[in-house]
Amino acid sequence: MNNKELIEKFYTAFSSCNAEEMISCYHEDVLFKDPAFGTLKGNNVFNMWRMLLSKKSNTTKITFTNITTEGNKGAVNWTAKYLYGNKNRKVVNNITANFTFKNGKIIKHIDTFNLWNWSRQALGFTGLLLGWTPFMKTKIQKTTRKKLDNFISKK
């Protein structure tokens, strides 16, 4: 399987809510980074996807376009549409993912998106006022990491 096919496999599995198929695309030493979780490695990356997809509802939609690859690098644009939190706020998050490949697997996955845009949608007025601040970014990352730690401890 070439790198473009690997990205297609990953996002097709993502859109089908198949965490184990997504995880099979990763190298065991994978590094993942995004504005919400910060930096994760190895099993924490795998468990992040398991946690996120365990909460996915039938209103969640994942789409992807513009896959590019060259050598051991690749990229894709993807969009997540879902309802967030107790207030079921509608979120449309546009993300650019960049990859590095090693031995036919993803060894590095960096998702980039505008955290202020996300927080305005997901957190409402608080996100509008504070979503752009380093304080809010740190708070979001602490919250997501705590949720991940709780998910792992209950496995």
Side-chain angles (χ1 to χ4, degrees):
M1 172 178 318
N2 66 36
N3 293 336
K4 182 177 181 182
E5 292 168 337
L6 187 63
I7 293 172
E8 288 173 349
K9 177 182 176 182
F10 183 89
Y11 284 95
T12 299
F14 193 4
S15 65
S16 301
C17 198
N18 187 338
E20 298 311 312
E21 186 77 6
M22 292 171 69
I23 291 164
S24 75
C25 298
Y26 280 134
H27 189 281
E28 64 183 13
D29 296 323
V30 67
L31 178 138
F32 174 88
K33 185 175 182 180
D34 86 347
F37 280 90
T39 302
L40 300 172
K41 295 180 182 178
N43 284 329
N44 283 337
V45 178
F46 308 154
N47 284 312
M48 174 198 64
W49 291 119
R50 289 177 180 125
M51 177 186 76
L52 291 174
L53 292 182
S54 73
K55 297 177 182 190
K56 185 176 178 242
S57 74
N58 60 359
T59 62
T60 303
K61 302 289 181 229
I62 305 297
T63 57
F64 60 98
T65 60
N66 302 323
I67 296 173
T68 59
T69 59
E70 186 174 327
N72 73 334
K73 303 286 185 190
V76 66
N77 296 320
W78 65 280
T79 301
K81 296 179 182 180
Y82 55 96
L83 300 176
Y84 181 83
N86 295 335
K87 295 188 178 181
N88 286 324
R89 291 189 169 108
K90 184 178 177 183
V91 173
V92 178
N93 197 12
N94 296 304
I95 300 124
T96 298
N98 288 283
F99 302 96
T100 303
F101 305 98
K102 180 180 178 183
N103 300 331
K105 300 279 188 172
I106 300 166
I107 186 77
K108 190 174 188 182
H109 177 174
I110 299 177
D111 278 349
T112 306
F113 61 89
N114 186 312
L115 191 61
W116 188 35
N117 284 344
W118 178 86
S119 65
R120 289 187 320 209
Q121 296 172 79
L123 306 176
F125 189 66
T126 301
L128 174 66
L129 290 180
L130 300 174
W132 60 272
T133 65
F135 165 80
M136 184 58 80
K137 180 178 180 179
T138 299
K139 183 173 181 176
I140 290 168
Q141 288 181 359
K142 284 182 179 178
T143 300
T144 56
R145 295 299 279 276
K146 183 175 181 182
K147 288 179 181 181
L148 179 58
D149 290 343
N150 288 340
F151 176 81
I152 292 168
S153 71
K154 293 177 182 177
K155 281 180 58 177

